[in-house]
Amino acid sequence: MKTRNWALVIVLAVMFTVAGMGDSEAASYKYMTILTGGTGGVYYPLGGGIADVLTKKGISNVSAESTGGSVENCNLVGRGRAEMGFAMAGVCYDAYKGEGKFKERGELPIMAMMSVYPAPMHILVLDKSDIHQLSDLKGAKVSLGAFGSGTENMAKNILETQGITYDDIKTAFLSFSETAMGLRDGVVEAGFMAVAIPASAVLDLGSTRKVRFIPLTDGEIKKTLDAYPYYSEVTIKGSAYNGIGGITGDTVGVGVQNVLVCRRELPEDLVYNMVKTIFESQKKLLDVHQVASQITIENAVKVPIDLHPGAARYFREMGAL
């Protein structure tokens, strides 16, 4: 009897979850895919966690697929090869507008479900450094991230909006870990890292050196956001680093959102239920990756492209729109 009762509960749960969708619509999305990234990054484990909670909720049988990341994800979602995927805000903005790497293909039919977490730009120096503001970088040896990376592109954009070009600094193109080692060994004087909080490279350097972040002024933030609308103002909480490296205070700057995008034609009720489930399952997602602690209603609506109607309905109900 208990087995039959539990079976009835599960059936009813699935029925109510897909309520509002017609039978044909529900059947069309019995199986779905969320595109993630490389197995060593954040997208892959977090995407797997989201796939798991959506499947267990009975919304659909969702599988997570490892990919090359943002550009590939936008292309595949836009071409209808997958239902949703992660992408950095700048990439999904270009895909939506048919600009940058998507200029040849043109605008892609994608929409935003939510911003999942921000990747603040950490501008890192040793605590003893004479560099205290962006203008102090002139003449300094600065790591801008790996050449051609999202960090390097974003660092270049931030600097140029403030009238600082590569000709004004001594450039180095290093990975996050190489940047940390370069600061430790005095090879570079400052380093840019667009990465989720807490950044492991910062933690590693902070275990042996006192460090601090360079903040941006209100004017510098405004200039950057006016030029690049897919960036947003963010605060690096000192508490996220637990005093490691002497970091205690908050630092205001800019960051890039990591967005969950979806196909434009997905049914409104389906997207509504998926977004609702993600927020109701945050504790479970925290067991997958600590970055899930940064999933908030306030941050979720900071998207560079139009929200899907189903997502917008949920955020209106939550008072965020």
Side-chain angles (χ1 to χ4, degrees), residues 76-154:
L76 292 175
V77 172
R79 289 158 56 191
R81 302 291 182 84
E83 286 70 33
M84 54 191 157
F86 291 111
M88 292 182 75
V91 175
C92 66
Y93 178 87
D94 283 347
Y96 185 77
K97 294 286 188 179
E99 299 176 356
K101 294 183 178 180
F102 303 89
K103 191 171 184 178
E104 184 176 338
R105 176 173 293 277
E107 299 176 3
L108 291 178
I110 61 173
M111 301 192 84
M113 291 174 64
M114 58 185 286
S115 276
V116 186
Y117 65 93
M121 178 59 83
H122 297 65
I123 308 174
L124 186 66
V125 297
L126 295 181
D127 187 57
K128 64 182 181 181
S129 172
D130 292 330
I131 298 172
H132 295 277
Q133 55 191 4
L134 280 183
S135 60
D136 293 336
L137 292 175
K138 291 183 178 180
K141 185 68 173 290
V142 183
S143 172
L144 300 156
F147 186 77
S149 67
T151 289
E152 192 247 330
N153 181 67
M154 188 174 180

Side-chain angles (χ1 to χ4, degrees), residues 254-266:
V254 296
V256 60
Q257 296 289 340
N258 289 276
V259 183
L260 185 58
V261 300
C262 67
R263 290 163 56 184
R264 180 182 295 163
E265 67 268 24
L266 291 187

Side-chain angles (χ1 to χ4, degrees), residues 127 202-203 205-213 238 241-249:
D127 187 57
V202 175
L203 295 173
L205 179 60
S207 67
T208 60
R209 300 287 190 278
K210 284 190 174 183
V211 298
R212 55 184 167 81
F213 302 123
Y241 288 96
N242 296 315
I244 293 175
I247 299 171
T248 55

Side-chain angles (χ1 to χ4, degrees), residues 17 49 108 166 302 305:
T17 297
L108 291 178
Y166 281 4
K302 295 177 181 178
I305 62 176

Side-chain angles (χ1 to χ4, degrees), residues 276-316:
K276 185 173 186 287
T277 298
I278 290 171
F279 276 95
E280 291 177 346
S281 306
Q282 188 172 8
K283 288 184 179 179
K284 294 179 181 178
L285 294 176
L286 274 169
D287 292 335
V288 176
H289 199 288
Q290 63 179 337
V291 78
S293 65
Q294 298 176 47
I295 298 176
T296 66
I297 293 292
E298 294 76 19
N299 185 68
V301 296
K302 295 177 181 178
V303 293
I305 62 176
D306 288 342
L307 278 167
H308 189 282
R313 171 154 59 102
Y314 176 76
F315 294 127
R316 280 195 298 270

Side-chain angles (χ1 to χ4, degrees), residues 192-257:
F192 284 76
M193 303 180 190
V195 61
I197 301 170
S200 59
V202 175
L203 295 173
D204 290 344
L205 179 60
S207 67
T208 60
R209 300 287 190 278
K210 284 190 174 183
V211 298
R212 55 184 167 81
F213 302 123
I214 302 301
L216 299 187
T217 66
D218 290 343
E220 290 168 341
I221 291 172
K222 185 178 186 306
K223 283 183 179 180
T224 303
L225 301 189
D226 285 347
Y228 302 99
Y230 42 77
Y231 296 156
S232 59
E233 181 176 340
V234 296
T235 299
I236 300 175
K237 295 287 187 180
S239 58
Y241 288 96
N242 296 315
I244 293 175
I247 299 171
T248 55
D250 297 346
T251 304
V252 179
V254 296
V256 60
Q257 296 289 340

